[in-house]
């Protein structure tokens, strides 16, 4: 469990700092975001093993944040922190794809126990936790922004973020608007045109392996197909 990377979204400055300090002391690598919009941005910039979201946050609430992330990633565990104990809220969270709930106030040891229990339930095979993605014959290292072609290519930040989302959803549809909001912050027309340019760039880079294709899925988004 050591070195697991956690994305923590909590707008309460005191609680955020307290949770951040406690989790780091327990050996976790923690990235703290003060609102949902910042958390979504951080999610596209790095790999995370676990997500902890406060429900009530400015810019973007925890439920909306979780919905956006579930469009991009179906697997990473999500634990909600909430001041409410309303049954309807819990049902809403589970429908979105939450793994568990913790109602404030809670003890730090209870938080740790919930994290450990969720990780035991959702443990993925070791190979799925690799930091490098294999796309056909091409290795992709999002941490270093490197695409290992015959001549290795350093990707731009947006190329890297977009390819990472496609690779995480390999052979599944990546929702176009969710990807736009995650990487560009808004799914307006101009950002959409910009994304199309980046998709064209990625297609050009990946054509080194004919078994790889980035397919347009009409009205939905894109699918990275690996026929290997």
């Amino acid at each position: 469990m050591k070195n697991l990377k956690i994305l923590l979204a909590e707008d309460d400055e005191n609680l955020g700092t307290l949770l951040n300090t406690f989790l780091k002391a327990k050996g976790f690598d923690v990235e703290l975001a003060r609102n949902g919009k910042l958390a979504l941005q951080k999610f596209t910039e790095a790999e995370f093993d676990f997500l902890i979201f406060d429900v009530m946050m400015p810019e973007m609430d925890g439920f909306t944040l979780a919905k956006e992330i579930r469009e991009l990633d179906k697997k990473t565990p999500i634990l909600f922190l909430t001041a409410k104990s309303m049954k309807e809220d819990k049902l809403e969270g589970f429908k979105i794809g939450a793994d568990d709930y913790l109602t404030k106030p809670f003890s730090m040891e209870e938080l740790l126990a919930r994290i450990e229990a969720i990780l035991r339930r959702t443990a993925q095979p070791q190979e799925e936790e690799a930091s490098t993605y294999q796309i056909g014959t091409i290795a992709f290292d999002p941490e270093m922004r490197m695409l290992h072609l015959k001549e290795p290519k350093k990707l731009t930040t947006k190329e890297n973020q977009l390819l990472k989302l496609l690779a995480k959803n390999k052979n599944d549809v990546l929702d176009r608007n969710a990807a736009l909001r995650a990487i560009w912050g808004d799914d307006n027309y101009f950002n959409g045109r910009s994304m199309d340019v980046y998709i064209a760039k990625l297609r050009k880079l990946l054509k080194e392996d004919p078994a790889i294709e980035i397919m347009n899925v009409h009205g939905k988004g894109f699918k990275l197909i690996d026929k290997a």
Side-chain angles (χ1 to χ4, degrees), residues 54-56 63 80-94 100-106 110 114:
D54 186 26
V55 171
M56 303 298 289
F63 286 154
F80 278 125
L81 306 179
T82 177
K84 300 175 179 178
S85 54
M86 294 288 289
K87 190 178 174 185
E88 292 77 11
D89 282 345
K90 292 193 176 183
L91 288 173
E92 172 70 14
F94 286 125
D100 207 349
Y101 253 90
L102 202 48
T103 305
K104 298 174 186 175
F106 53 82
E110 186 183 0
R114 293 289 180 101

Side-chain angles (χ1 to χ4, degrees), residues 145 147 153-164 166 174 176 179-180 183-184 190-206 214 216 222:
R145 289 198 279 126
L147 198 56
K153 163 83 175 166
K154 180 97 170 178
L155 300 175
T156 66
T157 301
K158 281 193 166 56
E159 284 170 347
N160 191 62
Q161 288 173 303
L162 189 51
L163 185 56
K164 191 180 95 168
L166 286 163
L174 171 65
R176 178 186 176 87
L180 275 169
I183 300 171
W184 276 266
F190 299 103
N191 288 339
R193 298 300 296 157
S194 175
M195 177 188 265
D196 291 336
V197 170
Y198 280 94
I199 288 286
K201 285 179 180 177
L202 291 175
R203 281 187 177 127
K204 200 171 175 183
L205 291 169
L206 294 170
I214 300 176
N216 283 337
F222 305 100

Side-chain angles (χ1 to χ4, degrees), residues 127-221:
E127 62 267 23
E128 286 192 23
E129 293 173 10
S131 58
T132 303
Y133 294 92
Q134 193 64 37
I135 310 167
T137 57
I138 301 168
F140 166 49
D141 182 351
E143 192 86 7
M144 301 301 294
R145 289 198 279 126
M146 287 301 298
L147 198 56
H148 293 281
L149 305 163
K150 282 172 190 165
E151 288 184 23
K153 163 83 175 166
K154 180 97 170 178
L155 300 175
T156 66
T157 301
K158 281 193 166 56
E159 284 170 347
N160 191 62
Q161 288 173 303
L162 189 51
L163 185 56
K164 191 180 95 168
L165 291 180
L166 286 163
K168 274 183 121 164
N169 293 276
K170 191 167 75 169
N171 297 320
D172 283 327
V173 177
L174 171 65
D175 185 88
R176 178 186 176 87
N177 290 339
L180 275 169
R181 289 190 292 269
I183 300 171
W184 276 266
D186 195 309
D187 58 3
N188 65 43
Y189 172 81
F190 299 103
N191 288 339
R193 298 300 296 157
S194 175
M195 177 188 265
D196 291 336
V197 170
Y198 280 94
I199 288 286
K201 285 179 180 177
L202 291 175
R203 281 187 177 127
K204 200 171 175 183
L205 291 169
L206 294 170
K207 73 177 182 184
E208 188 172 287
D209 183 345
I212 301 169
E213 181 190 351
I214 300 176
M215 187 175 85
N216 283 337
V217 181
H218 185 68
K220 294 226 172 165

